[in-house]
Amino acid sequence: MTKTVFLFLFCCLMKSSVSKNTINQDHLNRGSFLSVDDDAHLITSSDNTFTCGFYGFQTNAYWFAIWFTNSKDRTVVWTANSNNPVNGHGSKLTLHTNGAMVLTDIDGTIVWGTNTTSTDVDRAVLLNTGNLVLMNTKDQILWQSFDYPTDTLLPSQTLTKSKSLKSTLRKGSFQPGYYSFSYNSINILTLLYDGPEISSVYWPSPDPGFNIWDYRRTSYNSSRIAVFNDLGVFKSSDLLRFNASDMGFGIRRRLTMDYDGNLRFYSLNESTGLWSISWQAVAQPCNIHGICGRNGICVYGGKPECSCPPHYEWSEPTDFSQGCKPTFNRTCVNSTTFGFLPMRYTDYFGFDLKFSSSISFESCRNMCLADCRCQAFVYKLPGIGDCYVKSALFNGYRYPKFAGTMYLKIPIGMQTPESASIPTGSKPTCADVPVTIGFPSMYESSGGKVKWVYLYSFAIAFGLVEALVIVMGWWIFYGNNELLKNLEEGYSMVSSQFRGFSYKELMKATQNFKVEIGRGGPGVVYKGILEDERVVAVKRLGDVSDGGEFLTELSTIGRINHMNLVRMWGFCSQRQHKLLVYEYVENESLDKRLFSTTFLQWKERFEVAIGIAKGLAYLHHECLEWVIHCDVKPENILLDGAFQPKIADFGLAKLSQRGGPNSNFTQVRGTKGYMAPEWAHNLPITAKVDVYSYGVVILELTKGIRLSNVSVHGGEEEESELMRFARGTKTKIRSAKGLWIEEIVDPRLGGLFSRKQAATLVEVGLSCVEKDRHKRPTMDSVVQVLVDCEPE
Ligand SMILES: *[C@@H]1O[C@H](CO)[C@@H](O)[C@H](O)[C@H]1NC(C)=O
Ligand SMILES: *[C@@H]1O[C@H](CO)[C@@H](O)[C@H](O)[C@H]1NC(C)=O
Ligand SMILES: *[C@@H]1O[C@H](CO)[C@@H](O)[C@H](O)[C@H]1NC(C)=O
Ligand SMILES: *[C@@H]1O[C@H](CO)[C@@H](O)[C@H](O)[C@H]1NC(C)=O
Ligand SMILES: *[C@@H]1O[C@H](CO)[C@@H](O)[C@H](O)[C@H]1NC(C)=O
Ligand SMILES: *[C@@H]1O[C@H](CO)[C@@H](O)[C@H](O)[C@H]1NC(C)=O
């Protein structure tokens, strides 16, 4: 008898302690509380996706928060008291009998509370959507956490007029930072940097040349509401639309305003608990404002890094976001005592005292000199002569694509040559040439848990190009030439010149394929003249896959527009006829200008090396879709009238090769001698195969002879000339100190070349042809190294 009673009591005790403390419930009743001292006392949504309770961070700092139960690092999606963490002992969250939910600290002070006092709240429930709601007995919602977002938006949660997503100050902290995502006063969703000194919008890009319609947004709908659904499709009343790259049901997602100023879509892998990025707003992180502080310059080579201009030093050496301060006395009494230090490819955003277009360099310079407020001016090349006179230097970035130079105002006598003073701790510069350069996985060090799997394919900045994508994509699906014509008229500014041609049109343009100008790759190339008198090269493709895929691939290639890539103007796909229409490039291909009696001078060779690098870097890192060329060689590099290189035949690897961007290439492509060892060893094919081929090309540029010939050497052993050259050169570099370069550079130049540039080119070339693809640099970092070496 006693035993039974005892057992009964024991069971009851067990049961009550279980229900109170260890088994998680999805609600908290009126009159009860959660205590920070009891780790196990949590509210969990009925499907276990979300958990709500006290969340400890650092020592003795606790937040009342909601997080993903099954993500590895308990990713927080909402906090009640971001600004005011509470003590790790004695803090309580109470649902008072008066209806209010209140968070109190150890001493009883109210840190946070809901506005539901004297309502009939019955319980707090954590819904499966991640929404914490206060309900009455009729299940009406009186308060919900979805109305007070912090840095994250969840599916079905709306972002409206009065709400914003605000970044945290640092990774892992919950204190609000300086970045936010919200509607602006003209109904457009924007990313805003609101820092201690300045505030500015950086997305959509504030480039004065664009207006909102260029981003396919509208400011006319004032309802200001945005939401994304379980499929991963985000829609806003300003017509902003974007999709998660892994679009589909059944994946847990969040849209987070990250501490680094980028807005990202994340998808949870439930088996590993890790997040992958499936969309992000800003492709080029240096375009995010406020990264490097006043006077600081953001340099991107795989990940953003801050640097100070010459004669400036860190304001706070432990925190680069505090910017830089001048080491000279800036007081301007007599402005003629100042001079200028040029910094190529560098720009600062905003704070223009004056903007003038079409003016001479001299007048621009004098304008800055005459005004004591001017701290620098930017002169934009080539030819147009845009002049920006700057009163303050914020949001600086250095980016090889920027067609301008910044002239920093400093006291006379302090100017030094630029190459000696591009300052950054770890960036490779021309002077000390790197043999290993960083990898492109940005923020790998800071965001170790984040996988950048979708980076290449979906690093999309919504802009002009995106508008074209949407137009093109839609047309490709339902496409016929009639439709395209209509669209072209409507969006003539947006869609550039890419269009479909009829077979008849091209027959006429090429006079029935009369003048053959090239052969190779997957087709024959003919010269032609279109009705609008444009000269074109028409490539007739032999064997390509079926129509639908052909068009899809073309939509990718058609979007690519870069001065170092041969522009595709259109195509024809009628029955068995598959033709591509390219711009016609005046001069011959590089091989004819390198390996024959007419040869390029050094200056041109170096420009060619930089141009090819920029073109490939664009294909690898900036395109809307990941493109590997797979057949980089002198024959595929055309030279225009000014000997600027233009890469031909990109994207064709995809045309005759199906599969997703990361799929294995089953068929070997490329040209012997320029092909990376991966092809032979059946290793995954990545952009690094192009880096290898590029290395061969620039070594050939330096040496002036083919290195890609495969020669039989020492009996059966097949060794390429390249490998012998690489081995020999490395030995020379180690032993000869400086003089080795004379022996390597093309003797036809008669010694007329820059030693520094040549040495850089050889060393970059050697690092590009490393057998191990991980040791090869990325094209982005190659560009950085080479432009540092460019003469002013
Ligand atoms: C509490 O605030 C929300 C949002 O501001 C409002 O919609 C709601 O009506 C308020 N509730 C009460 C009871 O005042
Ligand atoms: C404004 O946007 C909302 C939400 O996207 C939509 O429901 C509404 O129809 C739009 N109004 C107009 C006039 O387009
Ligand atoms: C996103 O997905 C929707 C629905 O499938 C589609 O209509 C739309 O074109 C997609 N938008 C983009 C930008 O890819
Ligand atoms: C989740 O991660 C595992 C291990 O990395 C991987 O095998 C699996 O394909 C991933 N699942 C999804 C849906 O990405
Ligand atoms: C800078 O120069 C001005 C005038 O020449 C002088 O008054 C001022 O004290 C100097 N400031 C510093 C920090 O040296
Ligand atoms: C400024 O300095 C220059 C040269 O030092 C001198 O010629 C000129 O008169 C000065 N101007 C003023 C306004 O002091």
Side-chain angles (χ1 to χ4, degrees), residues 659-729:
N662 294 312
S663 72
N664 288 331
F665 287 74
T666 49
Q667 196 183 332
V668 175
R669 357 205 111 250
T671 305
K672 216 165 178 185
Y674 296 94
M675 268 160 45
E678 287 96 292
W679 293 108
H681 298 136
N682 240 337
L683 291 167
I685 297 307
T686 64
K688 292 294 176 71
V689 302
D690 287 349
V691 176
Y692 183 93
S693 312
Y694 173 79
V696 181
V697 172
I698 61 172
L699 291 175
E700 291 183 336
L701 263 173
T702 317
K703 191 113 178 76
I705 57 165
R706 285 251 193 228
L707 294 168
S708 44
N709 293 332
V710 178
S711 59
V712 179
H713 182 67
E716 323 94 60
E717 185 98 15
E718 199 183 67
E719 190 189 40
S720 72
E721 209 142 312
L722 177 82
M723 284 308 141
R724 236 181 320 147
F725 171 79
R727 208 157 20 82
T729 308

Side-chain angles (χ1 to χ4, degrees), residues 1-21:
M1 180 65 191
T2 20
K3 206 173 169 188
T4 323
V5 169
F6 178 74
L7 263 178
F8 177 71
L9 271 174
F10 181 71
C11 286
C12 285
L13 279 172
M14 274 299 286
K15 195 159 178 256
S16 68
S17 82
V18 159
S19 63
K20 226 187 209 151
N21 288 328

Side-chain angles (χ1 to χ4, degrees), residues 114-119 121 141-144 147-148 162-163:
T114 62
N115 62 348
T116 46
T117 315
S118 53
T119 56
V121 167
I141 292 174
L142 301 170
W143 177 93
Q144 54 179 347
D147 284 341
Y148 304 90
S162 53
K163 302 177 205 167

Side-chain angles (χ1 to χ4, degrees), residues 233 241-243 247 462 466 470:
V233 176
R241 302 265 185 285
F242 56 80
N243 297 340
M247 213 169 88
F462 274 65
E466 187 56 15
I470 293 162

